[in-house]
Amino acid sequence: MNDFKHTPRSGKTYNEETIKKILKEQDVKFIKLQFVDINGQVKNLAMPVEQIDRVLANDIMLDGSSIKGFRSIETSDMFMFPDLNTFQILPWTSGNAKSARLICDIHNADGTPFEGCPRCNLKRIMASAEKMGYSMNIGPEAEFFLFEKKDGNVSTSSRDSAGYYDIGPDDLGENVRADIVNALKEMDFDIEASHHECAQGQHEIDFKYADILTAADNVATFKVTVKAIAAKHGLHATFMPKPVFGINGSGMHCNMSLFKDGKNAFLDESKEYKLSDIALYSIGGVLKHVKSITAITNPLVNSYKRLVPGYEAPVYLAWSLANRSALLRVPAKRGNATRVELRSPDPSCNPYLAFAAILEAALDGIRNKIDPPEPVESNIYKLTSKERKRQKIDSLPGSLAEALEYFDKSLIAKEALGEHIFSEFLTAKKKEWDSFRTFVSEWEINRYLERY
């Protein structure tokens, strides 16, 4: 498994001497060693700053049997290998709790990268792309809700009644967003915009695209930061795809491009739409395999409450130059900004796994020269089922169970995740679906208890 180093798009690099100097100058008390599990949950081990030499020597052990999807109890010894270029002071910590963090790869006891580590797995797929001469950039747009806490309990009540791009006083989340943006900027995020989204209590903060590994690190960091700052305001931030019935859910549109020899491989000024064959093959590959990787990009039972027509969540397998009802959209900008936007993923996904799957699908399109269908510029939501069938416009899976059926049969999904993660992910998600399938909901009680 490839274990190459990467330099974040910010250009900042850190070595052991620099990290020790910053820790002393900033009077940092703790080092948090962060990693993600298969479900994308950020985990961390907090070490007193006096342990920094052990941390930098990759000498900190982890009990892999205690992390879902990692190791069995008889092979549980693992090591945390911090990526020094992910070093950051956590701006919301102070005083005796002032902390810095390092994002870690998980390695086996013999020092080799652990095949079940999502970050190591993404590096493996990046290495496959490198062999073909490509690197991928992704710009994710993760939406979230801010909800009130009542008597210390999380609710789905919002403090604001604003809508898309609204301003105060309707948008009561402005101050929270401002604090989140400032915290992210302190952590070297290049923030492009922040605004209120369509639904009450829904928000979006956009940061600049990056190489696929840095982008996944950024998503994980973004989630932690949003939740931490929201909590300081007495609010709960959630990346649950569809927390409230009847309003828009939260998506994580992914703007992707491939580069080769330092140039955008999606651009060809001489071609129709100024899109290269590589861009079209990538679109073809994603459209062919998207149903198989939807369980990865939309991994919750709740994800499929968002993926329904009428709430700006694209469910139809088509691509377009402008049409936002299509699954894949090519924004108007060209040059180095030439990119393809995949609109189905949601922010509950594990970014390391989702980006690996998207990249593998695009690479398969290139390897096999998969041509996409003609672009669809009409509003697909307004087409009848017969019209969609006539135009051969398929749709995404309608439930986690259906998505898992495609996932289970997919060689691309298995290649994207590797045997270990594929098997553990499938087992965990089948259990999740079965738990949902057998649970008696309030909806059923209200509808059936008295009537029957």
Side-chain angles (χ1 to χ4, degrees), residues 124-136 359 363:
R124 178 179 63 83
I125 301 302
M126 291 170 70
S128 295
E130 277 192 349
K131 288 178 181 178
M132 296 172 62
Y134 298 105
S135 62
M136 177 172 271
L359 175 55
L363 293 177

Side-chain angles (χ1 to χ4, degrees), residues 387-447:
E387 289 171 330
R388 290 196 300 272
K389 188 174 182 179
R390 191 182 309 121
Q391 295 186 43
K392 297 181 179 179
I393 299 175
D394 201 354
S395 59
L396 291 175
S399 68
L400 180 60
E402 187 181 348
L404 290 173
E405 288 181 12
Y406 288 105
F407 174 83
D408 193 11
K409 299 173 184 175
S410 172
L411 295 178
I412 289 298
K414 186 171 289 188
E415 175 58 30
L417 301 191
E419 184 64 44
H420 180 98
I421 296 178
F422 179 89
S423 176
E424 293 289 342
F425 184 88
L426 181 61
T427 299
K429 289 300 164 181
K430 281 184 174 180
K431 287 181 180 178
E432 182 176 339
W433 174 257
D434 198 53
S435 175
F436 170 74
R437 181 183 62 82
T438 58
F439 180 74
V440 179
S441 68
E442 193 67 25
W443 183 91
E444 292 168 279
I445 296 296
N446 292 338
R447 191 172 184 91

